[in-house]
């Protein structure tokens, strides 16, 4: 993490860029993410006193709530003067948008579940965001691995 910074628009943008560069499985700027349809980005929108307002765009494998929580923690650690990090549009946090009358999916903002892990973990009662889309290999035929671990 970089040294603590003063609260300026430029520093918020720098810290956001650093965050997105470090979060290798979360944003569409990394080649492995792009290959599986993760296109998500978090962008600076405005500064309202000591509160940063962000925008989310694209498709995330992680829940948008998790992306915002992680961005908040990173920015507040990088810029101690911040009192909070919020979304400019609260609807940016919705993973799926449904038609209010029919309940049909209008927009799915999640990237494809390219390997079925998100669905499987959810079915098993495990929060997929704790592991991310690219699990470390375990068991199977890997160097030093065992079929049983």
């Amino acid at each position: 993490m970089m040294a603590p910074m003063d609260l300026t628009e430029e520093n918020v943008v720098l810290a956001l860029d650093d965050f997105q560069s470090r979060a290798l499985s979360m944003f569409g700027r990394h080649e492995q993410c792009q290959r599986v349809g993760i296109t998500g980005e978090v962008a600076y929108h405005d500064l309202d006193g000591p509160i940063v307002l962000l925008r989310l765009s694209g498709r995330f494998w992680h829940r948008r709530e998790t992306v915002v929580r992680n961005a908040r923690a990173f920015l507040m650690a990088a810029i101690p003067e911040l009192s909070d990090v919020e979304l400019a549009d609260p609807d940016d946090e919705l993973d799926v948008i449904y038609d209010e009358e029919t309940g049909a999916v209008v927009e799915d903002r999640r990237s494809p579940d390219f390997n079925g892990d998100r669905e499987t973990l959810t079915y098993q009662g495990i929060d997929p965001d704790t592991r991310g889309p690219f699990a470390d290999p375990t068991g199977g035929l890997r160097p030093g691995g065992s079929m049983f671990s």
Side-chain angles (χ1 to χ4, degrees), residues 87-148:
L87 290 173
D89 180 357
D91 285 347
D92 277 359
E93 197 168 51
L94 298 175
D95 293 314
V96 180
I97 298 175
Y98 298 95
D99 181 278
E100 290 182 20
E101 292 181 24
T102 65
V105 173
V106 174
E107 181 182 6
D108 189 343
R109 297 172 168 178
R110 299 172 298 177
S111 69
D113 188 7
F114 65 97
N115 59 4
D117 283 359
R118 182 174 53 213
E119 184 177 341
T120 300
L121 290 167
T122 302
Y123 174 78
Q124 293 173 346
I126 301 168
D127 178 3
D129 288 355
T130 60
R131 203 218 50 213
F134 309 115
D136 291 330
T138 57
L141 302 174
R142 64 181 167 84
S146 161
M147 291 298 289
F148 306 107

Side-chain angles (χ1 to χ4, degrees), residues 20-108:
Q20 291 181 91
S21 294
R22 291 173 186 247
L24 298 177
S25 68
M26 198 170 281
F27 298 102
R29 63 170 52 190
H30 306 286
E31 186 178 325
Q32 187 177 18
C33 292
Q34 292 171 357
R35 279 197 307 262
V36 298
I38 298 170
T39 62
E41 294 182 11
V42 60
Y44 169 79
H45 178 75
D46 198 9
L47 192 57
D48 184 12
I51 300 172
V52 170
L53 300 175
L54 303 176
R55 301 287 310 203
L56 296 182
S57 62
R59 300 174 82 187
F60 294 94
W61 191 90
H62 292 82
R63 289 187 320 263
R64 287 170 168 255
E65 171 188 333
T66 300
V67 173
V68 173
R69 183 179 63 237
N70 290 345
R72 177 181 294 117
F74 191 92
L75 288 174
M76 292 184 76
I79 306 171
E81 294 175 66
L82 284 176
S83 66
D84 203 2
V85 175
E86 300 175 357
L87 290 173
D89 180 357
D91 285 347
D92 277 359
E93 197 168 51
L94 298 175
D95 293 314
V96 180
I97 298 175
Y98 298 95
D99 181 278
E100 290 182 20
E101 292 181 24
T102 65
V105 173
V106 174
E107 181 182 6
D108 189 343

